[in-house]
Amino acid sequence: MSNQLYINEIQTLFDAVQKSKIFEDQKMMTDAVPLFPIAEINAKYEQEKDSDGFDLRNFVMSHFDFLGARVSVRKEDHLPIGQHIEKLWDELTRTAYEEKGTLLKLPKPYIVPGGRFNEFFYWDSYFIMLGLQVSGRVEMMENIVENCSYLIQNVGFVPNASRTHFLSRSQPPYFSLMLELLAETTNDETIYTRYHDTLEKEYAFWMDGKEKVESGSGLQRVVKTVDGDILNRYYDAANEPRPESYLIDIEDHENALGEEFYRNIRSACESGWDFSSRWFADGEHIQTIETLNLAEVDLNSLLWHLETTLAKSSALQNLREKENYFTERAASRRQMINKYFWDEKTKIYKDYHIIKNTNTPSEHIAALYPLFLGIADKQQAEAMAKAISEKFLYQGGLVTTTKKSGQQWDLPNAWAPYQWLGFKAMKNYGFDELAENIKNNWCFNVERVYKNTGKLMEKYNALDTETIAGGGEYPNQDGFGWTNGVYLKLQQN
């Protein structure tokens, strides 16, 4: 697989396009497909750019293809929501058997989220798989797993999305959960042994640097606490503006604190939470973002699941040494999750600040992960259920944080993944009534918006169910992969 970043090859032109705002959405240019060899486009641009009457927009439109930059979803009046989602699976299906512009090739068809997102996304795909399971589309579930495996084997990890400019970061590591879901669906445990090598490779990616990291600091995606314990953080190898939000990043950088502003921004993107007050030192302004100083409860919980899955796949192959190693790693991480992320004062799981040696103040819904995966004990689960009920559950679903900042991963927005995590987490510990309330509040919100607009949205307003969600760097999108998946899965339960 080529790591050639064609955006870097047209950097002068790309910089001019993004700074001139000829597209309302900066992602348009990153997704464009060159119609001619890059060297030829560059030479022509250099030759013509300073001439009288040069029109940058016309130049770009005549040298790049923008077809497929957005996924348009046909509205079908009066179709029941379940039937509409079944049709959407086909409308959101894509193939990429060869590289095209920034789009990475993948061996199997896949489902895209929708709207401006017309590529394969990592953690979205797990929640899409939940719906595919309900729809009986097992082959597409297998395709998603196979595409993730292909990327891990060829790139070393699953990128944020299947574009060349995402080759510096991943997303929450859901591959082991994808295998678990597929094994459950097909009743075939050989799936674990078939992808054992892939699981190991993904684990090596997240743990790279653990032998060299020093106490009280981080190295790549690994951190070591002052007590000498190893935890993980979100990280991006690049420290430059994101191509898909180029001008936004440059403008935010002007008043930013610290030399690694761009890397902090990108590292938050690896979490999928772009953006939230969760990452801000002052809880208010993106310029104070400090993702690199944090170890996150969601990431470490997912890596516990990966370690547990590796222990299982090792046991299935009678690899006793590996089974013991991963069993010990999982047991150790389980202890550390409760040592570092459980805040005894507020009785909620929080992220951990490596430099300050304490929990961060942000109260956020990623605290669900230890309950979703069965890591929390009974007392912690009871306290968390109380916090969820009192602080996070509104008439339109579970909100992501208790803080209203204007960022899209903050109050008042409710996102599909956390409705499923919340429902399952509460079910795991016997809080059935709360689980039903989470399910019903969010599903009603989805149904209301669908009735009014004919669309399934990327996110929803949980407080004001008369209003469509907002915030963030782009408008709310319709389609929408993980909403479709979670809605179907909740309706089945």
Side-chain angles (χ1 to χ4, degrees), residues 234-350:
Y234 293 113
Y235 180 82
D236 187 306
N239 189 32
E240 57 194 31
R242 294 167 295 153
E244 73 278 12
S245 298
Y246 190 74
L247 189 58
I248 297 167
D249 283 359
I250 288 172
E251 289 172 347
D252 285 340
H253 179 257
E254 288 175 8
N255 301 308
L257 304 175
E259 294 178 1
E260 291 199 292
F261 171 78
Y262 292 129
R263 184 170 284 129
N264 275 298
I265 284 283
R266 286 164 163 267
S267 300
C269 292
E270 185 166 79
S271 76
W273 285 48
D274 40 339
F275 291 101
S276 167
S277 57
R278 175 185 182 184
W279 312 121
F280 305 161
D282 68 356
E284 301 284 347
H285 303 99
I286 200 166
Q287 288 81 7
T288 69
I289 193 165
E290 58 167 356
T291 323
L292 296 171
N293 290 335
L294 312 180
E296 294 89 359
V297 61
D298 45 354
L299 174 58
N300 283 275
S301 298
L302 287 167
L303 289 172
W304 172 85
H305 188 272
L306 176 51
E307 289 162 343
T308 304
T309 306
L310 275 162
K312 181 174 185 170
S313 63
S314 298
L316 287 168
Q317 299 172 87
N318 294 313
L319 302 171
R320 296 300 172 213
E321 197 174 321
K322 285 187 176 184
E323 181 191 353
N324 292 338
Y325 174 77
F326 288 114
T327 300
E328 287 168 12
R329 291 305 313 140
S332 172
R333 194 183 293 269
R334 185 187 204 117
Q335 287 183 326
M336 289 188 292
I337 285 167
N338 288 316
K339 175 181 177 180
Y340 289 102
F341 301 116
W342 179 253
D343 183 1
E344 191 58 40
K345 291 176 189 170
T346 56
K347 304 290 185 186
I348 190 173
Y349 284 99
K350 293 181 175 179

Side-chain angles (χ1 to χ4, degrees), residues 45-70:
Y45 173 67
E46 290 298 328
Q47 183 184 349
E48 296 180 10
K49 67 177 182 178
D50 296 322
S51 60
D52 290 340
F54 176 73
D55 188 308
L56 181 60
R57 183 183 179 86
N58 285 347
F59 180 87
V60 169
M61 297 307 287
S62 60
H63 289 82
F64 294 87
D65 182 358
F66 293 88
L67 290 174
R70 284 188 61 84

Side-chain angles (χ1 to χ4, degrees), residues 101-151:
T102 59
L103 193 66
L104 299 174
K105 69 177 180 182
L106 291 172
K108 301 288 183 180
Y110 52 91
I111 308 279
V112 300
R116 75 201 283 266
F117 302 110
N118 198 19
E119 54 274 298
F120 180 87
F121 273 81
Y122 185 11
W123 79 315
D124 293 61
S125 294
Y126 172 75
F127 299 98
I128 288 168
M129 282 178 70
L130 293 173
L132 294 173
Q133 181 194 48
V134 177
S135 296
R137 298 187 181 226
V138 180
E139 185 180 356
M140 185 58 83
M141 294 175 71
E142 293 170 339
N143 289 345
I144 288 170
V145 165
E146 190 59 28
N147 283 331
C148 287
S149 180
Y150 172 82
L151 288 164

Side-chain angles (χ1 to χ4, degrees), residues 1 104 106 120-126 144-163 166-176 178 198-199 201-203 205-206 221 235 270:
M1 178 177 292
L104 299 174
L106 291 172
F120 180 87
F121 273 81
Y122 185 11
W123 79 315
D124 293 61
S125 294
Y126 172 75
I144 288 170
V145 165
E146 190 59 28
N147 283 331
C148 287
S149 180
Y150 172 82
L151 288 164
I152 292 167
Q153 293 292 343
N154 287 276
V155 178
F157 61 97
V158 185
N160 182 150
S162 58
R163 299 268 178 194
F166 291 133
L167 289 171
S168 58
R169 67 173 176 269
S170 186
Q171 267 194 333
Y174 264 88
F175 184 67
S176 60
M178 291 176 175
T198 306
L199 289 165
K201 277 197 167 150
E202 182 170 50
Y203 188 66
F205 165 77
W206 287 97
R221 289 165 179 82
Y235 180 82
E270 185 166 79

